[in-house]
Amino acid sequence: MSNLVLIIDEAQRSYKHFALWNNLIKYQGQGNESGAYIVLLSSYGSPSQHVHEYDDETWTPPYLSDQQRISMRPLASNNQNVSLYFVRAEFNDVIRRAAPTDSRFPVILSEDSIDELFRLTCGHAGCTSAFLEVIKHSNHSSESRRGGKEITVEILYKIMRDPDFFNSLKSSKGFGRCLPKLQELQNKPAWALVLQHVVAAGHVKRKSVEDDALNFIYKKGWLHAELDKNTDDSIYICPTNIHHMYYAKLLCLSTKRFPTQMFPSLGEFWRAVVQKFSRSALVTHCHSIGAGGLPRPMETQYGDEFYRSAWQLLGNGSFLTSEWGDLEKIKDSTNRINFVVRDVKWGIELMRDGEHPSRHLDRFKPGGQYYDWIANNRLAEWVVLDFRCSMPRISHRREIFHVVFTDEHRDYKIIDGFGHVCDGPIRLLDEAEVKTESKENEDDDFDCD
């Protein structure tokens, strides 16, 4: 029976069957070289040495060695050669194998599209499979497929902007159950609040939300748990960036408008957002974990914090989303504006350490990537913010402002494009102050209509 593999799904529900564990699993788990291979799949949690959920204290559960334990990502305490998510080489192989499934109209992705698809799915097998099916049947890709042409990243974005995109993803039998329904979040505001925290900050910690709500969402597979390297505590993250976008889409369905009475100008708004930056979040960003358990790129440090601070500033009354809501945010993209506040048609472009300022500014000029938005009155006012830890060069451009942090991000000052200090130095908030203000905003009325 050495070529027999026994797969037990939802293994966490089998703990009460002592005969199965004592007579079969424990025997095979001790390194027996003959007999069937046994694969235990649990819907939540990380693999540990022992079974934790059992009531009979007289039962001695089997011991699983490090090499027998496999997680979503290779972990130091588990088998580091195998993981449930695709690594990049495996992902590329899946894309290659998927291309000729329909020889008449093949799905051929450009290199940029493959990169973006991996970023969006994080190598999640079910999400990858469902996304490829959506691409295959989308009207936006039909012309390219029929002509045997590559599906570009622009076509990929069109597919994602289609109103039926998420419905198509949810129709996948394997992946659909990983996404909550709108009605579930409407009926359970505590669940929605947990997901709001994740959308805003990229993760949530147990002390920040109700335990019952977090436990339910975790066991449903809507969030995954990873170990925070900064604190050794568990943090809860989106399984993929697709999950992050989906949660943001659901939570943006608020009828409330942007509070122009509080922030009548773009300058007042972005200054208020920066003033709520958390020093600890900026300092520890290099160790932060994003969707799918992947480390957040260092270049997203200020974009991530701007998004979290804006959500905290506006409270639960205005929902922030990745592409579809009041505040448009497309992360990790080099050819799309970072933020758009749609109600007031404000655009906010971010850069780091003054990298290629003319490249960012030229995007708003005639012929630039954002100019059509200005010409079509979708963008009324815009600004380029340069986040840095050193003094800037003078650009003599009124559209650019430099947010200059001192060593270790203890405070900052704002310098305009002509070299004039506009504000500061202003002390950054520490973690305790951020939590206090965030708690006050959570008391706002929740609306997910």
Side-chain angles (χ1 to χ4, degrees):
M1 295 204 309
S2 60
N3 62 346
L4 177 64
V5 178
L6 176 62
I7 299 176
I8 301 178
D9 199 7
E10 303 291 350
Q12 75 280 358
R13 297 183 179 180
S14 70
Y15 301 154
K16 60 184 178 181
H17 300 293
F18 298 153
L20 170 67
W21 282 83
N22 271 329
N23 300 336
L24 178 61
I25 296 176
K26 182 188 290 188
Y27 178 75
Q28 290 299 110
Q30 304 309 313
N32 186 25
E33 296 182 358
S34 62
Y37 291 97
I38 302 175
V39 179
L40 304 170
L41 299 176
S42 177
S43 63
Y44 62 91
S46 297
S48 57
Q49 294 177 343
H50 302 287
V51 174
H52 292 290
E53 297 182 11
Y54 62 93
D55 299 324
D56 190 345
E57 296 181 359
T58 63
W59 175 48
T60 303
Y63 170 85
L64 300 178
S65 67
D66 291 354
Q67 292 301 307
Q68 291 174 304
R69 303 199 305 271
I70 299 171
S71 189
M72 289 295 187
R73 296 286 177 196
L75 301 176
S77 58
N78 296 336
N79 190 322
Q80 299 189 46
N81 297 319
V82 185
S83 61
L84 295 180
Y85 275 38
F86 295 133
V87 298
R88 185 55 193 264
E90 294 170 334
F91 182 84
N92 290 346
D93 186 53
V94 168
I95 299 300
R96 179 183 61 81
R97 291 170 184 266
T101 55
D102 187 339
S103 58
R104 187 178 178 188
F105 303 124
V107 176
I108 305 173
L109 299 177
S110 67
E111 288 300 320
D112 287 345
S113 293
I114 296 174
D115 290 341
E116 184 68 358
L117 191 60
F118 184 72
R119 185 188 73 82
L120 292 167
T121 65
C122 300
H124 186 291
C127 187
T128 301
S129 175
F131 208 136
L132 287 173
E133 281 298 307
V134 172
I135 294 174
K136 180 179 178 181
H137 296 99
S138 172
N139 292 332
H140 299 289
S141 65
S142 59
E143 183 177 347
S144 296
R145 289 189 293 108
R146 291 177 183 277
K149 299 179 181 178
E150 288 186 338
I151 296 173
T152 64
V153 72
E154 287 76 19
I155 295 175
L156 204 62
Y157 286 138
K158 287 182 180 179
I159 293 173
M160 295 172 60
R161 284 179 179 17
D162 192 296
D164 290 328
F165 172 66
F166 284 112
N167 288 331
S168 299
L169 277 181
K170 288 192 292 184
S171 66
S172 170
K173 295 180 180 179
F175 185 67
R177 66 176 184 170
C178 298
L179 301 173
K181 297 180 176 61
L182 173 60
Q183 187 175 1
E184 291 178 299
L185 300 186
Q186 289 175 327
N187 294 337
K188 298 289 186 179
W191 298 357
L193 186 58
V194 172
L195 297 181
Q196 272 192 312
H197 272 274
V198 178
V199 167
H203 66 269
V204 66
K205 296 182 179 180
R206 185 164 291 279
K207 294 180 180 179
S208 304
V209 293
E210 291 184 14
D211 278 351
D212 290 344
L214 181 57
N215 287 338
F216 181 87
I217 289 175
Y218 173 50
K219 291 184 178 183
K220 290 285 286 186
W222 299 346
L223 295 178
H224 286 172
E226 290 285 349
L227 192 65
D228 186 349
K229 296 180 180 180
N230 300 311
T231 63
D232 288 333
D233 295 328
S234 291
I235 59 173
Y236 297 83
I237 58 175
C238 292
T240 70
N241 280 309
I242 289 296
H243 285 79
H244 186 281
M245 291 180 175
Y246 177 72
Y247 299 154
K249 176 177 169 60
L250 289 189
L251 297 171
C252 82
L253 301 178
S254 171
T255 56
K256 298 180 181 180
R257 307 290 290 178
F258 180 83
T260 52
Q261 72 281 4
M262 295 176 59
F263 310 107
S265 71
L266 171 58
E268 290 175 276
F269 173 64
W270 70 256
R271 282 176 169 85
V273 172
V274 174
Q275 196 165 356
K276 286 193 175 294
F277 273 25
S278 162
R279 175 180 175 270
S280 60
L282 292 174
V283 171
T284 61
H285 186 275
C286 59
H287 303 295
S288 63
I289 298 175
L294 295 173
R296 293 293 299 143
M298 195 61 192
E299 58 266 24
T300 67
Q301 176 185 26
Y302 298 112
D304 287 352
E305 186 59 11
F306 193 97
Y307 188 41
R308 184 206 61 77
S309 299
W311 176 82
Q312 178 190 328
L313 182 70
L314 299 176
N316 293 342
S318 297
F319 303 121
L320 312 182
T321 73
S322 294
E323 284 185 62
W324 294 270
D326 298 326
L327 181 62
E328 180 174 275
K329 179 179 72 118
I330 304 176
K331 302 170 74 171
D332 308 330
S333 178
T334 58
N335 62 352
R336 292 187 177 275
I337 194 168
N338 294 99
F339 301 94
V340 172
V341 188
R342 287 183 172 175
D343 280 355
V344 284
K345 302 178 182 179
W346 293 339
I348 303 171
E349 177 87 343
L350 307 185
M351 65 179 182
R352 180 188 177 93
D353 295 326
E355 185 178 5
H356 307 297
S358 60
R359 181 184 301 175
H360 291 271
L361 293 167
D362 289 348
R363 293 172 180 173
F364 297 91
K365 294 181 178 179
Q369 291 155 308
Y370 309 151
Y371 184 73
D372 284 346
W373 286 22
I374 299 174
N376 296 325
N377 198 32
R378 295 178 59 193
L379 202 61
E381 190 177 356
W382 55 274
V383 67
V384 176
L385 301 181
D386 172 27
F387 293 94
R388 57 192 301 132
C389 295
S390 60
M391 293 300 293
R393 293 182 179 179
I394 298 176
S395 62
H396 299 287
R397 293 292 300 269
R398 64 179 179 83
E399 303 92 347
I400 189 170
F401 288 86
H402 309 276
V403 181
V404 184
F405 296 94
T406 60
D407 187 35
E408 298 183 351
H409 293 87
R410 296 187 183 280
D411 51 51
Y412 68 92
K413 55 186 175 182
I414 298 174
I415 301 175
D416 66 17
F418 298 92
H420 303 134
V421 178
C422 305
D423 297 290
I426 301 172
R427 186 177 68 87
L428 284 177
L429 297 172
D430 61 28
E431 189 172 4
E433 292 170 312
V434 170
K435 286 183 177 179
T436 300
E437 295 194 8
S438 179
K439 181 63 179 176
E440 292 174 356
N441 281 335
E442 287 176 12
D443 294 333
D444 294 344
D445 292 336
F446 179 80
D447 182 11
C448 195
D449 296 329

